[in-house]
Amino acid sequence: MPMAIRNMTHHECLEMLKASHYGHLACCHNSQPYVVPVYFAFEASVAYSFSMPGRKVEWMRENPKVCLQVEERQLKGSWRSVVLHGEFQELPDNDAWHEERLHAWSLLQKHIDWWEIGSLKPDVVPPAHTSPHLFFGIHKREVTGRSAMQIDQ
Protein backbone atom coordinates (compact mmCIF):
# COMPACT_ATOMS: atom_id res chain seq x y z
CA MET A 1 0.00 0.00 0.00
CA PRO A 2 1.21 3.52 -0.71
CA MET A 3 2.31 5.72 2.18
CA ALA A 4 1.86 9.44 2.77
CA ILE A 5 4.80 10.94 4.67
CA ARG A 6 4.69 14.42 6.19
CA ASN A 7 6.89 16.58 8.40
CA MET A 8 5.57 16.89 11.94
CA THR A 9 5.11 20.34 13.44
CA HIS A 10 7.42 21.55 16.19
CA HIS A 11 4.54 21.24 18.67
CA GLU A 12 3.79 17.65 17.57
CA CYS A 13 7.46 16.73 18.02
CA LEU A 14 7.58 18.18 21.54
CA GLU A 15 4.32 16.44 22.50
CA MET A 16 5.66 13.11 21.28
CA LEU A 17 8.86 13.59 23.31
CA LYS A 18 6.81 14.43 26.40
CA ALA A 19 4.67 11.31 25.94
CA SER A 20 7.66 8.99 25.32
CA HIS A 21 10.10 7.58 27.82
CA TYR A 22 12.13 5.12 25.71
CA GLY A 23 14.39 6.05 22.82
CA HIS A 24 17.80 5.66 21.23
CA LEU A 25 20.67 7.99 22.13
CA ALA A 26 23.43 8.54 19.58
CA CYS A 27 26.85 9.95 20.34
CA CYS A 28 30.10 10.04 18.40
CA HIS A 29 33.82 9.77 19.16
CA ASN A 30 36.61 10.06 16.56
CA SER A 31 34.05 9.76 13.74
CA GLN A 32 32.69 6.51 15.21
CA PRO A 33 28.95 6.65 16.00
CA TYR A 34 27.45 4.77 18.95
CA VAL A 35 23.73 4.24 19.57
CA VAL A 36 22.20 2.90 22.79
CA PRO A 37 18.70 2.50 24.21
CA VAL A 38 17.79 4.89 27.04
CA TYR A 39 14.88 5.74 29.26
CA PHE A 40 14.29 9.48 29.56
CA ALA A 41 11.83 12.14 30.65
CA PHE A 42 11.36 15.26 28.53
CA GLU A 43 10.36 18.63 29.96
CA ALA A 44 11.08 22.26 29.11
CA SER A 45 13.45 21.49 26.20
CA VAL A 46 15.54 18.99 28.18
CA ALA A 47 15.54 15.19 27.97
CA TYR A 48 16.70 13.88 31.36
CA SER A 49 18.28 10.45 31.73
CA PHE A 50 20.31 8.26 34.09
CA SER A 51 23.35 6.05 33.51
CA MET A 52 26.26 4.10 34.91
CA PRO A 53 29.71 5.28 33.79
CA GLY A 54 30.75 3.72 30.52
CA ARG A 55 31.38 4.30 26.84
CA LYS A 56 28.41 6.59 26.14
CA VAL A 57 29.18 8.82 29.13
CA GLU A 58 32.88 9.03 28.25
CA TRP A 59 32.06 9.84 24.64
CA MET A 60 29.41 12.45 25.55
CA ARG A 61 31.86 14.14 27.93
CA GLU A 62 34.36 14.42 25.06
CA ASN A 63 31.79 15.39 22.43
CA PRO A 64 28.56 16.76 23.92
CA LYS A 65 26.73 16.89 20.56
CA VAL A 66 24.22 14.04 20.66
CA CYS A 67 20.80 13.12 19.36
CA LEU A 68 17.86 11.24 20.79
CA GLN A 69 15.43 9.37 18.54
CA VAL A 70 11.97 8.11 19.49
CA GLU A 71 9.47 6.27 17.35
CA GLU A 72 5.95 5.02 17.51
CA ARG A 73 4.39 2.37 15.31
CA GLN A 74 0.66 2.54 14.87
CA LEU A 75 -2.02 0.40 13.32
CA LYS A 76 -1.92 -0.47 9.62
CA GLY A 77 1.81 0.26 9.26
CA SER A 78 1.62 3.93 10.18
CA TRP A 79 4.46 5.40 12.23
CA ARG A 80 5.92 8.58 13.74
CA SER A 81 9.57 9.36 14.47
CA VAL A 82 11.20 12.33 16.21
CA VAL A 83 14.89 13.25 16.42
CA LEU A 84 16.09 15.69 19.06
CA HIS A 85 19.54 17.17 18.38
CA GLY A 86 21.11 18.58 21.50
CA GLU A 87 23.94 19.05 23.94
CA PHE A 88 24.87 16.65 26.74
CA GLN A 89 25.03 18.19 30.22
CA GLU A 90 26.10 16.06 33.14
CA LEU A 91 24.29 16.78 36.40
CA PRO A 92 26.99 16.14 39.04
CA ASP A 93 26.11 15.23 42.61
CA ASN A 94 27.03 18.57 44.17
CA ASP A 95 25.30 21.65 45.59
CA ALA A 96 25.33 23.54 42.29
CA TRP A 97 23.34 20.83 40.49
CA HIS A 98 21.33 19.48 43.43
CA GLU A 99 17.97 20.99 42.46
CA GLU A 100 18.22 19.95 38.81
CA ARG A 101 19.24 16.40 39.80
CA LEU A 102 16.19 16.20 42.07
CA HIS A 103 14.03 17.53 39.27
CA ALA A 104 15.43 14.92 36.83
CA TRP A 105 14.82 12.16 39.37
CA SER A 106 11.27 13.37 40.05
CA LEU A 107 10.45 13.22 36.32
CA LEU A 108 12.17 9.90 35.68
CA GLN A 109 10.70 8.08 38.70
CA LYS A 110 7.18 8.52 37.29
CA HIS A 111 7.96 5.51 35.07
CA ILE A 112 8.27 2.18 36.86
CA ASP A 113 11.28 1.02 34.82
CA TRP A 114 13.19 4.32 34.56
CA TRP A 115 16.39 3.04 36.16
CA GLU A 116 16.78 -0.34 34.40
CA ILE A 117 18.79 0.48 31.30
CA GLY A 118 20.90 3.10 33.05
CA SER A 119 21.79 1.03 36.10
CA LEU A 120 22.53 -2.39 34.68
CA LYS A 121 25.93 -3.52 33.45
CA PRO A 122 27.01 -6.91 32.05
CA ASP A 123 29.98 -6.97 34.44
CA VAL A 124 29.98 -6.96 38.23
CA VAL A 125 30.43 -3.44 39.61
CA PRO A 126 32.57 -3.40 42.75
CA PRO A 127 31.03 -1.81 45.86
CA ALA A 128 31.77 1.89 46.30
CA HIS A 129 31.29 4.47 49.04
CA THR A 130 29.32 6.66 46.67
CA SER A 131 26.99 5.70 43.85
CA PRO A 132 28.64 5.60 40.41
CA HIS A 133 25.29 6.40 38.76
CA LEU A 134 24.86 9.77 37.14
CA PHE A 135 22.06 11.93 35.85
CA PHE A 136 22.35 13.96 32.69
CA GLY A 137 20.29 16.16 30.41
CA ILE A 138 20.16 16.60 26.67
CA HIS A 139 19.40 20.27 26.00
CA LYS A 140 17.40 20.69 22.80
CA ARG A 141 19.01 22.59 19.94
CA GLU A 142 16.69 21.33 17.22
CA VAL A 143 13.85 18.84 16.91
CA THR A 144 12.40 17.31 13.76
CA GLY A 145 9.90 14.60 13.07
CA ARG A 146 8.03 12.74 10.36
CA SER A 147 4.91 10.68 10.29
CA ALA A 148 3.62 8.19 7.74
CA MET A 149 0.16 6.87 7.08
CA GLN A 150 -0.95 4.22 4.65
CA ILE A 151 -3.24 5.53 1.97
CA ASP A 152 -6.29 3.39 1.27
CA GLN A 153 -7.06 3.07 -2.38
Side-chain angles (χ1 to χ4, degrees):
M1 286 197 159
M3 300 287 283
I5 297 178
R6 70 172 185 84
N7 291 324
M8 294 170 61
T9 67
H10 185 76
H11 178 74
E12 289 173 319
C13 292
L14 296 181
E15 288 302 309
M16 186 169 167
L17 286 167
K18 288 177 192 172
S20 301
H21 80 283
Y22 176 81
H24 292 91
L25 178 68
C27 55
C28 190
H29 173 72
N30 292 335
S31 301
Q32 177 61 52
Y34 185 57
V35 178
V36 295
V38 293
Y39 286 125
F40 70 94
F42 183 79
E43 182 183 84
S45 299
V46 180
Y48 294 100
S49 194
F50 172 82
S51 183
M52 290 283 286
R55 179 183 298 180
K56 77 174 169 289
V57 172
E58 291 170 14
W59 286 20
M60 291 188 301
R61 284 172 175 161
E62 290 180 23
N63 178 3
K65 293 180 181 178
V66 299
C67 70
L68 175 68
Q69 184 267 340
V70 297
E71 64 190 60
E72 177 183 279
R73 297 198 68 61
Q74 301 166 336
L75 299 176
K76 296 185 178 184
S78 298
W79 54 264
R80 299 188 311 161
S81 176
V82 170
V83 176
L84 177 146
H85 294 272
E87 302 285 329
F88 164 79
Q89 173 65 64
E90 191 168 342
L91 307 176
D93 190 8
N94 61 35
D95 289 343
W97 291 97
H98 181 74
E99 290 302 316
E100 190 149 5
R101 281 175 62 90
L102 286 178
H103 183 66
W105 177 82
S106 74
L107 294 173
L108 288 163
Q109 62 86 31
K110 292 178 183 177
H111 303 285
I112 195 164
D113 52 4
W114 71 274
W115 54 271
E116 284 183 348
I117 294 175
S119 66
L120 302 175
K121 284 288 201 184
D123 303 319
V124 175
V125 177
H129 295 295
T130 60
S131 173
H133 304 98
L134 60 101
F135 289 90
F136 63 92
I138 305 300
H139 293 265
K140 177 182 74 74
R141 275 193 346 250
E142 176 187 17
V143 64
T144 60
R146 290 194 175 167
S147 67
M149 293 178 53
Q150 286 188 350
I151 302 171
D152 296 326
Q153 292 186 345

